[in-house]
Amino acid sequence: MSAAATLRALHHGPRLPLVLPGPWDAAAARVFADAGFPALATPSAGIAASLGHEDGRTPPAEMFAAIARIVRAVDIPVTADVEAGYGLSAKELVGRLLDAGAAGCNLEDTDHATGALRDAEEQAAWLAEVRAEAGDALVINARIDTYLCGVDGERETAETVRRGLLYAAAGADCVYPILAPPALLSALATAVGRPVNALAVPGGPTPEELGALGAARITFGGGLQHAAMATLAEVAERLRGGRPAEG
């Protein structure tokens, strides 16, 4: 079975939700793989931070090189957050993902040039091109940024469902209504008819709780890299004070 087929099957059970830690480099990927996770999801924000860039400002060549290093480090499927696709054609984007060894991709519908939502029909048409180029070789997670970009509160859910249905029809395997209220996850999954990805955040519902609320897939954005750096900062402070690194 291909890596993409393995990853696709994990979205449908029997053990849901599928928890996908976000490695920012090869060493982190090995830690998560050794812990027994069946697949991983690279975070664009975490990789950006590890490479010294602001989120959304990583040069594509550096992002794909980082993804390739992570994929080489483990023997489990890795899906890659490639933001809004870096302005690449569907053919070039798919080629770079497959060259890096990715089993899937996360594609968002924010226009990075304007910071606003991209036209839903245009995004769906582009996702359809990506699907046509990739065939079954990539699991496409279509991120929906309605809650992130501040669509009128009364329209957020309706617009999320509309976009989800368009993206599903275009070939998305799952949808990712980032920052959707957890209580709406089950209704969104039912309305769109695809597995729903939820973001686990500090102080929010646990992955298990998000699964009970209707999420089939859990990711962490740059949160795990941020937590690791916070721990490293504590180590640095101990060393600076002349104390042991541990304890």
Side-chain angles (χ1 to χ4, degrees):
M1 184 181 293
S2 70
T6 298
L7 178 61
R8 189 171 286 112
L10 289 169
H11 287 75
H12 300 278
R15 296 181 61 186
L16 291 177
L18 171 61
V19 178
L20 295 168
W24 53 94
D25 61 19
R30 285 192 291 269
V31 168
F32 293 131
D34 289 346
F37 289 97
L40 304 173
T42 69
S44 62
I47 289 177
S50 74
L51 296 175
H53 299 293
E54 295 181 13
D55 187 21
R57 298 295 183 88
T58 306
E62 291 189 40
M63 182 63 75
F64 287 108
I67 293 166
R69 289 192 293 270
I70 289 167
V71 171
R72 287 198 303 269
V74 296
D75 60 1
I76 55 177
V78 176
T79 181
D81 180 358
V82 288
E83 305 178 273
Y86 308 111
L88 301 173
S89 69
K91 182 179 181 64
E92 186 171 5
L93 177 65
V94 170
R96 291 197 185 191
L97 284 164
L98 295 180
D99 286 346
C105 62
N106 189 84
L107 292 167
E108 61 199 53
D109 59 3
T110 292
D111 182 339
H112 281 216
T114 65
L117 284 169
R118 189 179 185 193
D119 178 82
E121 284 75 13
E122 290 180 3
Q123 179 72 359
W126 185 66
L127 289 173
E129 292 179 17
V130 173
R131 171 54 71 209
E133 288 290 340
D136 292 332
L138 291 173
V139 174
I140 298 175
N141 185 38
R143 201 178 93 177
I144 305 171
D145 288 358
T146 44
Y147 295 98
L148 181 66
C149 290
V151 172
D152 177 3
E154 295 183 357
R155 295 178 48 243
E156 278 178 336
T157 299
E159 180 63 10
T160 299
V161 170
R162 185 178 82 88
R163 286 173 177 265
L165 289 169
L166 285 169
Y167 302 165
D173 294 279
C174 42
V175 295
Y176 180 13
I178 189 170
L179 300 182
L184 295 181
L185 292 171
S186 181
L188 291 172
T190 299
V192 175
R194 288 290 189 276
V196 166
N197 189 131
L199 177 69
V201 298
T206 66
E208 183 178 3
E209 290 168 340
L210 289 169
L213 289 167
R217 163 176 165 149
I218 310 296
T219 52
F220 301 85
L224 299 179
Q225 191 270 344
H226 181 77
M229 292 304 100
T231 298
L232 186 58
E234 293 176 1
V235 171
E237 283 299 311
R238 289 197 293 270
L239 292 173
R240 187 170 176 271
R243 291 171 288 162
E246 300 83 11

